[in-house]
Amino acid sequence: MANHKRVLIAIGGNAITQEGQVGTIAEQMENIEQSLSPVVKMLTDGYDLIITHGNGPQVGSALIKEETSKNKVPAYPLDILNAQTQGSIGVLIEQALKNKLRLARSTREVATLITQVLVDPKDPRFENPSKPVGPFYTEEQLKQLKSEEPSARDFTWVEDSGRGYRRVVPSPLPVDILNKKAIQSLAENHFVVVAGGGGGIPVVEDNGQFIGVEAVIDKDFASALIAAQIEADIFMILTGVSRVMLNYGKPNQVELAEMTVAQAKKYMNEGQFPKGSMGPKIEAAISYIENGGKQVIITSIDKVEAALNGETGTKIVR
Ligand SMILES: Nc1ncnc2c1ncn2[C@@H]1O[C@H](COP(=O)(O)OP(=O)(O)O)[C@@H](O)[C@H]1O
Ligand SMILES: NC(=O)OP(=O)(O)O
C-alpha cells in the first residue's frame, strides 16, 4: 500500500568499504547488496526514498592512485575524484537496487544524480583539514608509509575514533544543493533517487561561474541540507550502532530512544559525541530540524524497519 512518505537515508562510506577490507568492487557490492535489503522493503511498502552515501574510504583510495601514477598520467583534482566516487558507488547502489526490485516484482525506477554542492570559499574549514579519508593505518604502518612515501609526510593525519590513523582533507560546510530541484522532482515522481554521494562535489561561485574546489564535504551535513531543502518527512542516518548512547563504550553507557534538539545540544556540550564519529551526525540532525525538518532517526542499516516502527533507533525531534 503506497504511503508516499518521503525519507532520506544516509549510508556511511565505512559501511560500503568496511574496516579490515581493502575496498575491491566485489567487497563494496556485497556490502551494498546486504545493506539494501531492508531498503527494498521500504520501497515495496510505498515510501519515497532518497539515498545519499559517504565516500571517505573510496575517495581516499582514489587519491592514493592519483599520487602513485602522477608521473605516468595527469592527476585529477579532488572535486573530480568526488565525482568519480559518486559514479562508482552510485552505479553499484543502482544495480543492486534494480536487481532486488526486479526480484520483488516492483516497477519502481532508480535514478542516480551527479550532485554539486555550493560551499563558501572563505569557510575556515579549508585551512583546517578535518575529513578522514582512505585506509586506517596503525602507528607502525604510518611510520613506515612516511619513510617510503615522502608526500605522506606533508599530509595531515588524525587518529580516527580509536580505529587507527587516517589522512584528513579540507571539509567545508555545504551552503546550497545545486541540484535540489532535480532531486525533489524525481522524488515527487516516485523515482528512487541516489544523490549527494560523498557529500556532493564541492563548488564555489566565482564571477558568476561555478568551479570545483578540492575538498570532501561531510555526507551527514550535505544529507541534512538535502533533506531540509526537498522537505523530507524523515532523515535517517544509518551507521554502525542501532542507537545513540550516553557514556558510549563505558560500563555505564545507556541507549537513547529519543532526544530533543535542546537535549542533543546539551549532551554535545558535555562531550558525549566525538568529533570524528557521532558528533557530525548529531550536528547534522540538529541543523536539519532547525532548517524546518521534522524527524531524524539514527540507527544501523539492519534495524531500518524496526526503527521506523519505533522499536529501536534514536529519534531526534524539535
Ligand atoms: N555516543 C555515541 N553513541 C553511539 N555511537 C557512538 C557514540 N560515540 C561514538 N560512537 C561511534 O561512532 C560510530 C559512527 O561514526 P562513523 O563510524 O564515523 O560513521 P559512518 O557510519 O558515517 O562511517 C558508531 O558506530 C560508534 O562506534
Ligand atoms: N563524504 C563523507 O562524509 O564520507 P564518509 O561517510 O565515508 O565519511
Side-chain angles (χ1 to χ4, degrees):
M1 197 187 58
N3 65 41
H4 295 318
K5 247 192 185 172
R6 190 175 297 165
V7 181
L8 185 143
I9 289 190
I11 304 175
N14 285 317
I16 298 169
T17 298
Q18 297 177 359
E19 255 185 278
Q21 296 186 330
V22 289
T24 63
I25 290 297
E27 283 170 345
Q28 293 184 51
M29 189 50 146
E30 193 182 337
N31 295 332
I32 286 170
E33 276 177 342
Q34 270 180 15
S35 303
L36 291 179
S37 292
V39 171
V40 171
K41 170 82 171 57
M42 283 180 80
L43 288 170
T44 52
D45 284 348
Y47 283 93
D48 284 332
L49 273 193
I50 298 92
I51 300 175
T52 64
H53 60 83
N55 70 343
Q58 300 79 14
V59 81
S61 293
L63 269 176
I64 294 171
K65 280 190 201 162
E66 293 302 310
E67 272 137 22
T68 49
S69 65
K70 68 183 167 201
N71 296 326
K72 299 181 183 130
V73 286
Y76 287 173
L78 193 45
D79 49 316
I80 298 300
L81 299 182
N82 278 312
Q84 287 186 343
T85 59
Q86 285 191 348
S88 60
I89 299 173
V91 76
L92 298 181
I93 294 178
E94 189 169 321
Q95 264 172 20
L97 263 183
K98 277 186 171 157
N99 289 336
K100 284 179 188 292
L101 287 167
R102 267 183 151 185
L103 281 177
R105 298 188 183 285
S106 165
T107 54
R108 299 287 296 266
E109 297 250 359
V110 189
T112 304
L113 204 67
I114 291 288
T115 312
Q116 300 189 62
V117 175
L118 187 69
V119 298
D120 179 355
K122 296 200 183 91
D123 189 325
R125 290 169 182 241
F126 275 111
E127 306 307 322
N128 300 297
S130 61
K131 180 78 207 159
V133 296
F136 294 86
Y137 297 92
T138 62
E139 211 169 340
E140 205 45 47
Q141 287 168 331
L142 182 57
K143 228 185 250 171
Q144 186 164 352
L145 181 76
K146 285 183 177 175
S147 70
E148 289 166 2
E149 298 279 342
S151 59
R153 292 174 218 149
D154 301 331
F155 303 150
T156 311
W157 299 87
V158 293
E159 210 285 320
D160 187 1
S161 317
R163 296 175 288 192
Y165 289 88
R166 288 177 95 186
R167 182 178 168 184
V168 283
V169 296
S171 190
L173 290 177
V175 172
D176 191 21
I177 308 296
L178 298 190
N179 309 65
K180 58 182 179 284
K181 283 191 185 149
I183 300 172
Q184 184 148 22
S185 170
L186 286 163
E188 275 166 8
N189 285 290
H190 313 303
F191 282 84
V192 185
V193 194
V194 182
I201 299 157
V203 298
V204 294
E205 214 174 344
D206 185 23
N207 275 328
Q209 303 283 298
F210 294 117
I211 50 169
V213 282
E214 296 215 58
V216 174
I217 301 172
D218 183 282
K219 68 105 186 21
D220 293 314
F221 289 141
S223 303
L225 188 57
I226 298 174
Q229 290 190 329
I230 64 159
E231 297 170 5
D233 297 296
I234 305 174
F235 171 25
M236 280 193 109
I237 303 180
L238 303 181
T239 185
V241 284
S242 55
R243 273 188 167 146
V244 179
M245 289 168 235
L246 291 182
N247 310 315
Y248 177 70
K250 296 184 187 153
N252 60 342
Q253 77 177 16
V254 278
E255 293 184 352
L256 290 166
E258 186 167 322
M259 59 182 152
T260 61
V261 163
Q263 285 169 322
K265 284 183 177 171
K266 176 177 163 279
Y267 297 143
M268 182 87 112
N269 289 335
E270 290 170 4
Q272 292 284 354
F273 311 128
K275 256 188 173 173
S277 54
M278 190 52 76
K281 296 181 198 311
I282 303 294
E283 279 184 70
I286 293 170
S287 85
Y288 159 75
I289 302 228
E290 289 187 338
N291 267 322
K294 295 172 197 156
Q295 189 190 127
V296 180
I297 299 174
I298 301 181
T299 193
S300 53
I301 189 90
D302 56 317
K303 297 285 180 354
V304 166
E305 198 182 358
L308 283 168
N309 293 335
E311 293 153 20
T312 186
T314 300
K315 210 186 261 184
I316 304 169
V317 291
R318 193 165 298 270

